[in-house]
Structure formats: C-alpha cells, structure tokens
Amino acid sequence: MKPLARTRQHSLPGLDPAPVRVAVPADTPLPRARNRPGSLWLALYFPHLALEMIAQEDAAPMPLVVCQTVRGRQLVHAASRGARGSGIRPGTPLGDALGLCAELRVRQRDTAAEHAALHTLAAWGLQYTDHVAVEEGHVLLLEVGRSLRLFGGMKRLRRRILADLETLDHHARTGLAVTPLGARLLARSGIAEPARDTDTLAALIRELPVEALEWPEAVVQRLRGMGVNTLGALWRLPRDGLARRLGAWLPAYLDRLTGYLPDPRPRFEPPPSFERRLWLPVETHDQAMLRTPLQRLLRELAGVLRGRGMAVQSLDLRLLHARRPATHVNLGLAAPGRDPDHLLALCMERLSRQCLDADVTGLELQAGAFLPLPHRDTALLPDVEAQADARQSLLDRLRARLGRDAVFGLALRDDHRPARAWARTDPADSASVSIAPPGYGPRPLWLLEHSLPCPPSLRRVHGPERIETGWWDGGGERRDYYTAEDRHGVRWWLYREHGTDSVRLCGVFG
Amino acid sequence: MEADTDTRDATGGDASLDILLRRRDIWRGGTPLPGGDALPTGHAALDDALGGGWPRGVLVELLTDLHGIGEVTLLLPLLAAQTDAGCHIAFVAPPHIPYAPALAQAGVCLERVLVITTQDDAETLWALEQALGSGACGVALAWPGRADTRALRRLQLAAERGRATGFLYRETRQAAHASPATVRLLLSPADAGLNIRILKRRRGWGGSVVVVPRVVGGVGK
C-alpha cells in the first residue's frame, strides 16, 4: 500500500498515471494530507435550527412543529420532542400532524431568520478562533487547530463550545477532522469521534453511504447503479474513470475531503452590529416571561462581543406585537460593558417600568455601536477599582429603572447669582470640572425651585448680603439676601429686591 | 443611676458576682461598649451619646416634622468626611434639590454626590436599597414617605451588605411605632441649635438628650 501512496504523492496533480488502484484492498490508506500541519476543523451542525428560532419554554413545553410549503402542500419541516412523541415526523403533512396531536402549535418556517441566526452564531464562534466559515445546510466550520492550546486541548474546547451553545438553547452535532469537508461529513453523519489524521478519517467514513456526501441526487443514483454504496467502495474506483463518467469535480472533491488538495475556506467577517430576533413560544404580556428569551439573546450578544473584543454602551430592545408596531425600549450604560448578567438585570429593571399595551410575540435585540472594552490593568488598589465598578453598576441600575434624568450629580458654577451658582451634571461623565467654593456668605442646603411669599414674624439671623451682578447677560440681579428664623425654629434664606419692599423666601437651611 | 447602684452592690457584696461581672462577655447596659465600627458625627457630645459616632452599615432614623431646623446640617461633617475618604453619598428623593454651594462650603466633595429623584415611595425605597447595597455609597440620605417594617428590614439588610449608613427622615409620629432601625433620633429645634433626643441606639440605652449648636452654612452663628 505504501508504494502506492508514495507514487501518488510524488506525481503532479493532473499528470496521474493510468489507473493504478484497480484492485486495492479495502483498507487502502487515503492519500496523505497536505494540509498545513496542526490544522483541525470543528464542524458544528445545527439539526434543529428551525425549532430553535422559537424561544424555549422553561417547563412542560407544548408540542411544536415548524412547517413549510413544499409544492403547494404544508409539510412539517421540524417537530419538537413532544410532537415527535405523538408520531409526527419531518415530512408529515400538516393536516395529518394536527390529527395526531390536537394541541399542536404550528409555526411557519422562516429561512431568512435561520440564515441570520447562523451568521450570528458564526460571529459568536469568533470567540474560540479567528477563522470561522458559514456553510450551507446549517453548518459552521471553526478552524480550531491554533486554539487548542489556549483552551486546554481538543476535548475541553469541544465540551466548552457545546456547553456555551447549550446556554443559548442551541444544540449542535460536532465533527472534528483535519479537513473542512471531513469535519462536515462527520458532523452531518453524527460521528463524534475526532479524526486528527487522514487514516482515522478514512476509517471513520469508510462505511458511510454515498448519500452522506450530500451530492446531487442524480450523481448518487448513478453511483448506486454502479454498485457503489459506501464511501469505501467509492475510494476503490479508478479516479480517471470516475472523472470521465461523473465529472472532474468528483475526484477533486475526494481529494479535498482527504486533504490531498487544499481546501481554503473564506473567513467569516462579522457585521459591525448585532441584530437578532427571537420568537416567543406563547404570546405574553408579563414582563417576567421575557426574562429567559432575553437572557438567551444577551448571552449571544456577549459571545459576539467577546469574539471581537468589544463592548456596548447602549442597547435597543424591541418588543414585537402581532398587528401592532413594536414597543421600543432603549437602554444606556454608564460605561461600555458586556456582562450578560448585568445587562439582563438592567433590561429587567427597565422593562419593569414599561407598561405593555399588547401581548408580546417576539423580541428583537439590536446593538449598534460597538466600543472597545475599557482597558483594565491589574489594579494596584483593588478597592478603588471595585468602588468604581460598584458605582457604575449602581448608576446603570438606577437609570434603567428611574430614567436617565432621575439620577444626577452636582457641580459649582462660577456665578454669584444663587440660582446660577450650581449645575446638574451627569455622574457617568467623570470629566466634570470642579471649581473651588467661593468665599461667600452662608448658603442654605435646600434652594427652593420657586421663591415663596414671605411669612410674617421672622427673626433676622444673618445679613444682608448684597448680590448685584449679571447686568451684562440680561439676567441682572440686585438683591439683599438675609437668613431669618421663623417661630418654629426653621431657618429661611430670603431676599429683598433692591429698591422694593417685596421680600421672598428662596431657600431653607435644612 | 441604676447601673451605679449595681456596681456598688457588686463591689461591696458577693465576690463571685464580682468575678462574673468582670467577665469580658458580660455586658451591662449602663456602660457603653468600647470599639465597634463608628463614624464620627463631628459633634463631641453626640459622639459620646451614640457610643462613638454613627454606626456603620445600619439604618438611622431621624424623626422630625419640620424641614429647615438643621436636620441635614447635622450630617454635614459626616458627609464631608465620607466624600474625602472616597465614598459616594446619595440623596434619595430629597424634598428639594440639595444646593451645591452649601455642600461645598461644608467641605463635601461634589463629584461624589448623587441625587436620585423618584416618582413614588416604592421607587424611593427601591433606589435607597440599591444605593445602600451597592457598596459604592458610604452614606445615603432618604426621605422615604411611607415605609412598612418589611421595607425597613430590607433596607437594614442592604445597609449591612453594602456597609453603608442609611439616614431616613421620617415623621415624628413614627416614634410610637417599632422600627428595625438601629439608631432612632427625635429632632426638634432648640434656642441654641438642634435638640436631639436619642430614642434608640446601639450598645446602650436611649433617653439622653443632646443639643448640637446651630451653624449657618458652615459659619458658626
């Protein structure tokens, strides 16, 4: 067998000698891989993607099918576990399915959404490797050869990816092989054993039927007609004969499958924003019911952000209704972040003050501007760091529930007029300039928003302090300010307009 | 007075009782316990009456029906010390907007002041709980309106969790009702300043009265 392989290796592609592998025994090794050493592909096949477009229920899920129209007939495309329990299979006509299960929920298949979901998952996959490819048939390919060391080996990486997918309510079959096509074949055929070299791959796929290659139906039929039922049998056929009968692409495909020919895959370029829609299993107007699907969306977002090393500072959440425009909810953060638990807590606070006029049928999460995650040094003073974190998260929570304007900071302004001597600031904005307190007379802790008429019988405590300024900007003020105490012991700040007898209260010494 | 009598009895009488009383884990109400995590109030007499100062990580109720008798001024030394130490202070649902120049005059660092306005009592209690439990605020002042014992209990737990002291301004009629707050003070105006009757305190009995001299906007008067 070895001489054969060697011949194959040293010959130039296209100048192969005449069929040399006519009577090769069944355990013929495949041609040696010429792939870059260390290259390893993980294929993720999502068999239930159509069902996973709909958020899962926490307990006792109702039987659910996703159906699509095929040649004018409504056929079941995918059936949930509950529905399969009633005997419904993919391909069952919808009428029959409804007959089999009375409480069946039916959703129409949305291929565009599935496509979008696969692309989001591809962006999510970038947290494990820099090379992800999106394939037809609900398959993602991840080149993980260079990530193994970082993630502590193949087994750990695969377990971690599957566990992370589980938190997103996605279920994938995996295939690990040295070539992309091999990985895909293993994943689609449900073979979990890894093929870290060509020989293992050959042994694993030898007994697979030719249908597993997902070739056009006509080609498969011809191979079956020729008596070629398994991949092993296909391998034993002379290559030029195959090329003559079925086209030159076929031996080339086999060479790419085994790694003899290079099989470059385009790198997935993640979009600059995140947009994802998730349908609820049942319509609801209870905010608490949105928690689980929202958590799933935010985890997905967090994965995408991790893959790009980015964070977000604002989120747009749209609550979709049937036959009504969506409810728009915007959420801002004090600092860029991507912790899904924190984001979820904020969203739930924000939703708790959103009154829902109509039942929610689905959620759509959008995150536009990705920002670099604030750089973090290993803190010299961990307390200071923790304090700053606590402050940010407090601000976020307060603003999510009370509104942005309900929380503010204070600053001094360089003006003697009492009403203009201070300003509200944004506490999230740390760049506010502070000025030294000027040395003026006593100031009350509370400044009244609107001045009040002065009650009788006040006793003067301090004053007058004359403030005469602002003539240049139209807000001129000529007032004498006094501190006075009423008979209850409450101290007021009051002023008399210069040249009049009108005395008004403008502050309280709290 | 009672405590003094006890001591005299003990020293003159049974030796075993004397030994018992000298045990470190026996505490008698008359003598305040040393130690404890206390924040100086800035007023020596009040520090003494409270056993060292404002306790940390608890609720303090300040009962008064009047705004403007110096009920917040009382806390200004604490607020200034807290912001100096790098802690934030929060005003939750204040009756008016705190006036920044007055705070600055008292030495409060304005960058560490948060003002939180709310729509209703439920929001106030929620916001106060967040502020106390966050770990970011050292002190939170709140004007909570109606608050039942359960809500106060939650606030007390949040204060413990965040090691923050929460000051609640409530009406004087609340003095008749029990409260989980660790310290309860009844505030009333006095000629010389603010009259503080201690209804409840930590590590000691209430009942004493302290008068804190009135200052006007940082200037003694």
Short mmCIF file of all heavy atoms in Angstrom, two decimals, chain A residues 41 65 120 152 181 203 218 313 383 406 428 454 476:
data_model
loop_
_atom_site.label_atom_id
_atom_site.label_comp_id
_atom_site.label_asym_id
_atom_site.label_seq_id
_atom_site.Cartn_x
_atom_site.Cartn_y
_atom_site.Cartn_z
N TRP A 41 -10.29 21.09 12.00
CA TRP A 41 -11.56 21.77 11.78
C TRP A 41 -12.64 21.17 12.66
O TRP A 41 -12.77 19.96 12.77
CB TRP A 41 -11.99 21.66 10.32
CG TRP A 41 -11.12 22.48 9.42
CD1 TRP A 41 -9.93 22.10 8.89
CD2 TRP A 41 -11.35 23.82 8.99
NE1 TRP A 41 -9.39 23.11 8.15
CE2 TRP A 41 -10.25 24.18 8.19
CE3 TRP A 41 -12.37 24.74 9.21
CZ2 TRP A 41 -10.15 25.44 7.61
CZ3 TRP A 41 -12.27 25.99 8.62
CH2 TRP A 41 -11.18 26.34 7.84
N VAL A 65 -44.49 22.32 15.99
CA VAL A 65 -43.88 21.98 14.70
C VAL A 65 -43.63 23.26 13.93
O VAL A 65 -44.31 24.26 14.09
CB VAL A 65 -44.77 21.04 13.85
CG1 VAL A 65 -44.88 19.68 14.47
CG2 VAL A 65 -46.12 21.66 13.59
N THR A 120 -25.19 34.97 13.08
CA THR A 120 -24.92 35.44 14.45
C THR A 120 -24.08 34.41 15.19
O THR A 120 -23.15 34.75 15.92
CB THR A 120 -26.24 35.67 15.20
OG1 THR A 120 -27.08 36.48 14.40
CG2 THR A 120 -25.99 36.36 16.52
N GLY A 152 -6.99 24.59 26.32
CA GLY A 152 -6.66 23.42 27.10
C GLY A 152 -7.00 22.10 26.43
O GLY A 152 -7.42 21.15 27.10
N LEU A 181 -14.12 19.49 4.84
CA LEU A 181 -15.15 18.59 4.33
C LEU A 181 -15.30 17.37 5.22
O LEU A 181 -16.39 16.86 5.45
CB LEU A 181 -14.81 18.15 2.89
CG LEU A 181 -15.13 19.16 1.80
CD1 LEU A 181 -14.68 18.64 0.45
CD2 LEU A 181 -16.62 19.48 1.77
N ALA A 203 -10.92 5.64 8.22
CA ALA A 203 -11.55 4.53 8.93
C ALA A 203 -12.95 4.91 9.39
O ALA A 203 -13.86 4.08 9.40
CB ALA A 203 -10.68 4.14 10.13
N ALA A 218 -28.92 12.90 -8.69
CA ALA A 218 -28.62 12.15 -9.91
C ALA A 218 -27.28 11.42 -9.78
O ALA A 218 -27.14 10.26 -10.19
CB ALA A 218 -28.60 13.11 -11.10
N GLN A 313 -22.43 50.20 24.85
CA GLN A 313 -22.87 51.16 25.86
C GLN A 313 -24.37 51.42 25.76
O GLN A 313 -24.96 52.02 26.65
CB GLN A 313 -22.09 52.46 25.75
CG GLN A 313 -22.25 53.33 26.99
CD GLN A 313 -21.12 54.29 27.18
OE1 GLN A 313 -20.34 54.54 26.27
NE2 GLN A 313 -21.01 54.85 28.37
N ASP A 383 -9.38 48.05 45.82
CA ASP A 383 -10.57 48.66 46.43
C ASP A 383 -11.11 49.79 45.57
O ASP A 383 -12.31 49.93 45.37
CB ASP A 383 -10.23 49.21 47.82
CG ASP A 383 -10.14 48.10 48.83
OD1 ASP A 383 -10.41 46.96 48.41
OD2 ASP A 383 -9.80 48.35 49.98
N ALA A 406 -33.32 61.02 36.22
CA ALA A 406 -33.65 60.92 37.65
C ALA A 406 -32.41 60.87 38.52
O ALA A 406 -32.50 61.04 39.73
CB ALA A 406 -34.52 59.69 37.89
N ALA A 428 -22.14 59.89 35.17
CA ALA A 428 -21.35 58.94 34.38
C ALA A 428 -20.19 59.63 33.68
O ALA A 428 -19.24 59.00 33.27
CB ALA A 428 -22.25 58.27 33.34
N CYS A 454 -43.13 85.73 51.65
CA CYS A 454 -42.50 85.69 52.97
C CYS A 454 -43.57 85.70 54.07
O CYS A 454 -44.48 86.53 54.06
CB CYS A 454 -41.60 86.91 53.12
SG CYS A 454 -40.74 86.92 54.67
N GLY A 476 -29.81 90.26 35.06
CA GLY A 476 -29.30 91.11 36.12
C GLY A 476 -30.06 90.94 37.42
O GLY A 476 -31.25 90.66 37.44
#
